[in-house]
């Protein structure tokens, strides 16, 4: 049998590399670092971060930092339901019907509101559907001293310092298990806990 032609050999090689690459990706499948561009430049650092008072050119004290709005003001569900929620524009309008009306992105947000369209926020964290994950089970879990076992930052990092939300951990199976296996977590490691 004659040897495959050069072009066929190259095709096989490229195909093999692609298959090996996708396998490696499926196994590691790290989501860390994913930071999609959002339709509105909404800064957690400005809304949820701590205030930083500075003097402006007129000598007045102004807040160049954040407004310390609690996570749960906007993400209302994590202690009650499987999913946390991204707030509807109505929540933003509680303040922005009167505040920040000289800011470009606040005006763009108001355009959505006036057209009656939801803001098409891009999901940052998104596990495959065959994985069962429940926020409330995590956030309500207490150790024997009655303290919460986990907080938002253990999984999402310091969101209040971010201008754009970025995935801070691998969010793959290994990452879930690494925490579940810690003695103090006493969390399930059997397959059906997460694949039901
Ligand atoms: C003023 C309302 C508001 C506050 C306060 C707020 N967030 Fe958000 N959050 C949003 C909006 C709007 C989005 C969607 C846009 C984006 O991803 O930046 C979002 C997105 C997120 C996401 C990514 C969601 C996804 O798609 O995976 C996480 C995680 C998050 N917030 C955590 C927090 C934490 C932790 C705090 C408190 C430190 C907090 N947020 C405070 C409004 C808020
Ligand atoms: C509790 C009140 C409050 C809520 C709720 C709120 N904001 Fe704000 N926001 C503020 C204040 C105060 C400022 C600062 C305005 C200024 O600098 O003139 C601001 C500023 C902003 C800015 C401009 C930031 C900059 O530095 O240019 C954007 C964009 C913004 N908010 C978007 C949102 C969105 C989107 C939501 C809903 C998810 C939201 N805000 C909810 C109070 C709020
Ligand atoms: C044990 C880890 C963990 C903790 C603690 C945690 N989250 Fe999450 N969060 C996740 C995972 C995993 C997802 C992706 C869920 C999915 O895609 O089904 C997620 C998704 C989100 C989303 C996107 C909407 C959704 O539910 O898919 C928001 C918003 C969010 N988290 C906010 C918060 C806030 C606010 C807190 C603290 C009150 C918090 N999270 C605590 C792991 C965590
Ligand atoms: C930072 C630690 C931590 C991480 C990361 C983590 N978990 Fe958990 N998980 C816990 C704790 C703590 C509990 C509750 C244990 C208990 O019952 O007190 C728990 C419980 C669970 C349960 C059982 C809750 C129920 O409703 O039956 C499931 C399912 C689960 N986790 C899935 C996941 C998945 C999927 C991931 C990864 C995407 C993940 N967890 C990441 C700490 C973590
Ligand atoms: C604590 C939660 C958790 C437990 C326990 C768990 N898994 Fe997973 N598993 C996940 C998550 C999260 C993913 C999604 C990984 C991704 O997309 O990066 C996953 C993905 C998978 C996949 C698909 C792999 C891929 O790359 O697409 C298989 C197969 C799987 N798990 C089998 C198992 C088996 C078998 C067990 C028991 C030995 C188990 N899992 C236990 C959370 C868990």
């Amino acid at each position: 049998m004659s040897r495959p032609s050069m072009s066929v050999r190259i095709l096989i090689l490229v195909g093999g590399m692609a298959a090996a690459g996708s396998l490696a990706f499926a196994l590691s499948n790290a989501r860390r670092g994913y930071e999609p561009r959002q339709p509105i430049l909404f800064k957690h650092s400005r809304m949820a971060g701590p205030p930083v008072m500075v003097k402006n050119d007129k000598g007045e004290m102004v807040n160049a930092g954040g407004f310390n709005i609690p996570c749960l003001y906007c993400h209302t569900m994590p202690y009650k339901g499987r999913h946390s929620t991204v707030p509807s524009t109505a929540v933003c309008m509680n303040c922005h019907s009167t505040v920040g009306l000289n800011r470009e992105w606040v005006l763009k947000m108001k355009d959505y509101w006036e057209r009656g369209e939801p803001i098409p926020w891009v999901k940052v964290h998104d596990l495959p559907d065959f994985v069962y994950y429940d926020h409330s089970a995590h956030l309500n879990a207490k150790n024997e001293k009655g303290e919460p076992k986990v907080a938002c930052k253990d999984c999402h990092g310091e969101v209040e310092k971010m201008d754009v939300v970025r995935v801070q951990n691998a969010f793959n199976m290994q990452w879930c298990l690494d925490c579940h296996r810690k003695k103090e977590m006493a969390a399930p490691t059997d397959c059906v806990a997460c694949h039901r």
Side-chain angles (χ1 to χ4, degrees):
M1 212 169 76
S2 70
R3 293 179 45 158
S5 74
M6 182 65 150
S7 55
V8 170
R9 271 185 285 147
I10 287 174
L11 269 179
I12 292 169
L13 185 66
V14 170
M17 275 161 59
S22 59
L23 183 64
F25 180 78
L27 290 176
S28 65
N29 215 4
R31 295 171 173 80
R32 189 200 299 267
Y34 180 54
E35 186 191 57
R37 178 185 272 259
Q38 297 291 347
I40 301 280
L41 185 56
F42 169 80
K43 294 182 183 166
H44 276 81
S45 56
R46 186 72 169 149
M47 296 288 94
V52 180
M53 300 310 286
V54 295
K55 233 182 218 153
N56 69 9
D57 355 324
K58 294 182 201 134
E60 303 155 346
M61 292 307 280
V62 292
N63 183 5
F67 290 90
N68 252 339
I69 307 177
C71 313
L72 295 179
Y73 183 94
C74 293
H75 301 291
T76 47
M77 287 297 286
Y79 287 85
K80 298 204 189 99
R82 250 192 93 174
H83 291 281
S84 180
T85 48
V86 165
S88 72
T89 316
V91 174
C92 314
M93 294 309 288
N94 286 344
C95 297
H96 286 294
S97 52
T98 52
V99 167
L101 297 177
N102 56 343
R103 305 267 177 191
E104 180 194 357
W105 290 107
V106 171
L107 294 176
K108 291 210 168 128
M109 171 178 76
K110 271 196 84 194
D111 288 346
Y112 280 107
W113 175 248
E114 277 154 13
R115 290 197 302 268
E117 279 175 36
I119 301 172
W121 300 115
V122 181
K123 253 181 127 351
V124 185
H125 304 80
D126 201 359
L127 292 175
D129 291 340
F130 60 82
V131 178
Y132 178 86
Y133 172 79
D134 182 326
H135 263 111
S136 65
H138 286 86
L139 293 163
N140 294 323
K142 303 270 184 354
N143 64 18
E144 60 280 5
K145 288 191 223 131
E147 296 153 347
K149 289 183 182 176
V150 294
C152 312
K153 68 169 172 355
D154 295 330
C155 299
H156 295 299
E158 295 181 296
V159 177
E160 64 278 10
K161 293 191 180 154
M162 297 176 200
D163 284 351
V164 178
V165 181
R166 171 200 283 258
V167 179
Q168 299 294 307
N169 286 294
F171 280 79
N172 57 15
M173 180 157 130
Q174 190 65 52
W175 173 72
C176 309
L177 285 171
D178 282 348
C179 181
H180 277 213
R181 285 191 184 121
K182 287 182 190 154
K183 218 168 135 249
E184 67 275 21
M185 292 297 166
T189 51
D190 46 313
C191 316
V192 288
C194 303
H195 304 293
R196 35 179 98 178

